[in-house]
Structures are given as C-alpha cells and as structure tokens.
Amino acid sequence: MKNALDLTTAEWRAELSGMGEPAFRAGQVFSWLHKGADFAQMRNLPASLRARLAERYDARGVEILEKFVSRQDGTVKYLYRLRDGNVIEGVRMRYHHGDTLCVSTQVGCRMGCAFCASTLEGLARSLSAGEILGQVIAANRDEMRIHNIVLMGSGEPLDNYEQTVRFLRLLREPGGLQTSLRAVSLSTCGLPARIRTLAEEGLPVTLSVSLHAPDDAIRAQLMPVARSVSMDELLAACRYYLDKTGRRVIFEYALIAGVNSRVEHAAALASRLRGMQCHVNLIPLNPVPERGLAGAEESAVQAFRQALEARHISVTVRREMGRDIAGACGQLRRGYLASEGAKEGNERA
Ligand code: SAH
C-alpha cells in the first residue's frame, strides 16, 4: 500500500482524475491528510471515494508506538513505528512560542560518526518524504503545537536528498502545514556538493553543520566523512549557502574530553570562521557508552565559549533537555531493538 503523505496536491489531482474524480477533490484530500485525518474522517468526501482511497493508500504511515515525558522539563521522546515494522525516534522540545520537533530522515545512518548512537548498526533504509512528514503529523495529532522542525534525528538528510527536499516542499504547500522554512533547520555532517545544490532550491532552511573540530585531523578522528571532505571545501560550500540564501550558517560542536575541547581548539576554530556570518552551538556530549567518549567538564565548556566570544564569534551553549528520558541520540531505538531482541531470544529459549 502506498503512503498517502508522499503525494503533492498536483499528484493527487492526477491520481484522482485517474479515478474519475473532479480536480477540487485533490485539495480536500491533501488538507485532511495534513491535519492527521484518516480517510474515514474526510467528511466532505463521498463514502465510496473514501473507501476506494483507503484500499489503495495508507493515510498515516507513521504511528506513535511509545511516548516518554520528561519530569524535568516536559520534553517528549517518541518512538514511532513505520509500516514495514522499522522503528525511529523523535523529540518534542517545549519553548514559550511553541514546540520544536526533531525528526529523523533515515532508519539508522551510514555516516559512522564516532560519538553517535544512530550509526552503530549502519543504515537500514532511507525514509520517504511522507514518512518524514508523517512524524510531524503524528506529533501534531498527539498535541497540536509544533512550530519549529529540526532535521536532527537519526540519519543524514543530505544522504536522502530527494526525499528530504520533497518533504520541505510538502511543508510549504497551501492546504498543508504551511510551515515557514525559516522555522526549519537541516543538520548535516557536511556534504559540500549537496549543500551547494540545496542552496539552489529556493528552500531557505537554516543550515546546521556538524563541525565538531577545528581542523581536518581532529575531524577525521570523529567523522569518517572528513577523510574525503576537507574543512576548507566544507566551509566554502557553507559560504556559498550563505550567499545564495542570506541565511547565516549554524555550526554544531560537541565538546569531547581530551579530543576537541581545549582553548587552543577554540582559537583555531575562531580563525577558521573569522569574517563569516555564522553562529556556533556548543553541545554537551551525550555519552554513548558503546563509544567510550566523555563530554568535556563544565569549566572547559565555559572556557571554550569565552575563547570564541573573545574572538567575536557568536556562540551559545545548548541547553540539555529531557536528560531523564532521552539518553544519547539514537539510544531509544537501540534500547527498543535490544529489548525486542531479548524477547525473541526468550521465546526461542
Ligand atoms: N546527520 C546529521 C543530523 C543528525 S545528528 C548531522 O550529522 O548533523 C544531529 C546532531 O546531533 C549532529 O550535530 C550530531 O553531530 C549530534 N550528535 C550526535 N550524537 C551526539 C551525541 N552523542 N552527543 C551530542 N551530540 C550528538
């Protein structure tokens, strides 16, 4: 069965006309779907059409399997189930102006970053645009207050380029969620050719680049992608993105004890970024026990921040949210897979 959320309004028009329906039905179907309705709930559609659509299409594609709410700050962690039985996770963070949803673009990831739990078992598969959108719609069904979207869940969005771009276009379509792309951030480990192509799409999302290092040698230690992409090449693509879209680039930098968190590293980073319209987000590392890496001490984080500020680099330290429920990125899915594996093991035993 096809995922109904994959289709644009124009594609619905073609699909419905093939079923002998008038063109105006396309807008009705599209806007119901994006409100989270199932076909049975589409009151202004003839019952026969609802039944025919339900035979061909799955209106949802993504269902919330489990939900964890932080007692500390209300942060929500979702475990979603896809139609093929795969599971992915997402996070809802609460802010005064509305909630931010962190969405996944792939099941697993093949980028292999040393500190990241999402990549430990490699890539299972990429998500379709409708499955990425389905996470937002499912979260809105749970509570209708998603304002901002960050593509920072599992997966590398630019390694699933076409579906990610289709998702961004679906967000903007009339009758749909009509999210401003200014409220959307796309986080990437840094694929320069794709960053340049994205800059040409007319989709002005905020580009977040996971830098995590002041130079190629340290970066290559943490991120396999850096063995084939130099920081010069990456930063040139970021400047191009800035020129084309007018959007300042955000650099993410997780401070890891004994690796990238000394004041000299901050000074080197500042000189690389000098003169560029950008912002640095310092992230406290979520420890991933499988990886044996530890976050830098609070005093080192503050010294790093001050060293950047002293060199006129705009910087913030990201607040930790939902510590009690989240674990590191990708750990919820791992925990789930491990417990399912254990169950199977028990059954077999
Ligand atoms: N593949 C994309 C998006 C997913 S990761 C990317 O690389 O940007 C989202 C962010 O979380 C990235 O900045 C990533 O480097 C960071 N991250 C991954 N594991 C982390 C951990 N254990 N602690 C802190 N940040 C982590």
Side-chain angles (χ1 to χ4, degrees), residues 102-103 105-106 109 111 113 115-118 151-158 186-190 208-212 223 252-255 283-288 318 327-330:
C102 175
V103 301
T105 54
Q106 296 180 314
C109 184
M111 294 299 150
C113 298
F115 44 79
C116 182
S118 298
L151 285 83
M152 290 190 188
S154 71
E156 167 50 47
L158 299 185
L186 184 153
S187 181
T188 175
C189 64
S208 253
V209 174
S210 301
L211 206 54
H212 303 317
M223 306 176 74
E252 286 158 279
Y253 196 112
L255 290 164
I283 313 173
L285 184 82
N286 267 317
V288 183
R318 191 192 284 169
C329 317

Side-chain angles (χ1 to χ4, degrees), residues 153-167:
S154 71
E156 167 50 47
L158 299 185
D159 186 41
N160 183 18
Y161 185 84
E162 269 180 40
Q163 295 301 316
T164 296
V165 163
R166 174 181 271 266
F167 159 71

Side-chain angles (χ1 to χ4, degrees), residues 1 4 29 32-43 45 50 53-54 57-61 63 137 141:
M1 205 174 323
V29 170
W32 276 118
L33 287 170
H34 289 230
K35 286 190 181 76
D38 215 334
F39 293 113
Q41 298 168 312
M42 300 186 183
R43 282 181 271 103
L45 259 56
R50 285 185 251 160
L53 286 171
Y57 283 99
D58 176 23
R60 293 188 172 158
E63 297 284 356
I137 292 174
R141 260 200 321 269

Side-chain angles (χ1 to χ4, degrees), residues 58-71:
D58 176 23
R60 293 188 172 158
V62 178
E63 297 284 356
I64 295 171
L65 186 64
E66 282 184 73
K67 175 182 175 183
F68 305 86
V69 183
S70 164
R71 291 208 194 117

Side-chain angles (χ1 to χ4, degrees), residues 77 89 286-287 321-332:
K77 193 121 191 190
E89 60 191 272
N286 267 317
M321 297 177 92
R323 241 274 134 103
D324 54 335
I325 51 160
C329 317
Q331 290 213 319
L332 195 58

Side-chain angles (χ1 to χ4, degrees), residues 2 20 27 68 75 93 106 119 124 131 156-157 165 168 171 179 195 202 207 215 230 251 286-287 289 303 328 336 343:
K2 290 189 254 179
F68 305 86
T75 299
M93 290 155 285
Q106 296 180 314
T119 201
E131 288 174 321
E156 167 50 47
V165 163
L168 296 174
L171 279 183
T179 308
I195 291 174
L207 183 69
D215 59 50
S230 71
F251 292 109
N286 267 317
Y336 175 80
K343 264 188 238 162

